[in-house]
Amino acid sequence: PMENSVAEIIKIIKASNNAIEMERKLIIFFAQFVGELMRMALEAIDDELQKEWREKGYRVERSDTCTIQFLFGAVTFTRRRMKKPGETGVYALDQSCGFEKGKRYSLLVQRQVAELSTKVVYRGVEKAVELFTSFTMSHGQVKNIVDQIGAVQGEWTNHHLEELSVRLPENRQVPVLVVEGDGLLIKGTKKKRRKSTG
């Protein structure tokens, strides 16, 4: 009930030694509270979906628990794996909500982390996540997310370049070619200094 939540908030405020401690504790409380609401909502949607899928000839193969880290907090929920004879099983909820198989972080978390990594180094992203969210992420996890998104972006780009090459005539000339990028990375194995000449 809402009254219990308000009572818990009051308890946290009164028990805190200062404003910073109070806010940190409240961030954790709100993340857990919203996570529980999200769990209930997702499991209610899964209940509806399994009824719809049963009408299509699917049956419940098993129920599995999954945890996804959203920007607003971690959500642990249970959903059903549906299966039809002769077909591969599928999580109807994951398909409906766009949850990626085996991914611990939501698409928005991945997007924000990848975008931030274009401005600061991975350890900077790690620190920003720690400072501004209710969860932590190592610089190695940041790198993994960036690599995964980079691979998906590369596939998308190659696919669309292939489509474009089919539509454009060969040896087409353009008056101006503009190449735009967000960053530049130069790597080398030896440090060399060039002296400028005159």
Side-chain angles (χ1 to χ4, degrees):
M2 189 62 71
E3 294 79 14
N4 291 347
S5 300
V6 172
E8 188 63 30
I9 292 169
I10 292 170
K11 183 179 174 183
I12 289 169
I13 293 170
K14 288 183 174 179
S16 300
N17 294 319
N18 54 59
I20 291 175
E21 179 186 331
M22 175 191 73
E23 191 166 349
R24 282 179 175 157
K25 287 180 178 178
L26 287 173
I27 286 171
I28 294 169
F29 172 79
F30 289 132
Q32 291 172 343
F33 181 73
V34 172
E36 179 61 14
L37 292 177
M38 186 67 170
R39 177 196 66 78
M40 294 167 63
L42 291 175
E43 291 181 357
I45 293 170
D46 190 62
D47 287 342
E48 294 174 9
L49 287 171
Q50 67 95 15
K51 291 173 185 173
E52 293 175 15
W53 283 61
R54 280 180 182 275
E55 292 174 3
K56 300 175 188 174
Y58 286 81
R59 293 292 172 260
V60 176
E61 184 180 26
R62 64 175 188 265
S63 292
D64 292 315
T65 300
C66 174
T67 300
I68 296 179
Q69 181 65 62
F70 295 90
L71 274 180
F72 52 78
V75 180
T76 300
F77 56 97
T78 302
R79 77 277 198 243
R80 300 169 181 88
R81 181 178 166 91
M82 307 297 293
K83 193 168 187 322
K84 196 176 193 177
E87 294 187 14
T88 306
V90 62
Y91 294 103
L93 181 67
D94 293 12
Q95 191 177 91
S96 175
C97 294
F99 298 150
E100 297 180 298
K101 182 179 178 182
K103 296 291 176 71
R104 177 183 171 190
Y105 297 101
S106 73
L107 284 172
L108 182 57
V109 168
Q110 293 177 58
R111 179 186 180 276
Q112 303 295 67
V113 164
E115 186 172 337
L116 186 56
S117 71
T118 65
K119 310 294 184 208
V120 296
V121 297
Y122 293 163
R123 287 188 188 277
V125 177
E126 174 186 6
K127 191 64 180 174
V129 169
E130 179 189 340
L131 288 173
F132 295 107
T133 70
S134 61
F135 61 95
T136 59
M137 178 184 292
S138 72
H139 64 278
Q141 290 170 318
V142 172
K143 181 185 182 308
N144 288 341
I145 287 173
V146 171
D147 289 347
Q148 289 165 8
I149 288 183
V152 172
Q153 179 65 43
E155 289 174 14
W156 185 90
T157 301
N158 289 337
H159 174 73
H160 283 78
L161 283 176
E162 287 172 10
E163 282 186 352
L164 190 62
S165 66
V166 169
R167 283 184 269 148
L168 291 177
E170 283 189 39
N171 301 323
R172 178 179 174 187
Q173 294 186 354
V174 292
V176 178
L177 176 64
V178 178
V179 178
E180 184 180 336
D182 287 337
L184 176 64
L185 176 64
I186 301 174
K187 290 186 177 181
T189 55
K190 295 181 181 178
K191 293 183 179 178
K192 291 183 180 179
R193 284 189 182 176
R194 291 189 180 184
K195 292 182 180 178
S196 60
T197 56

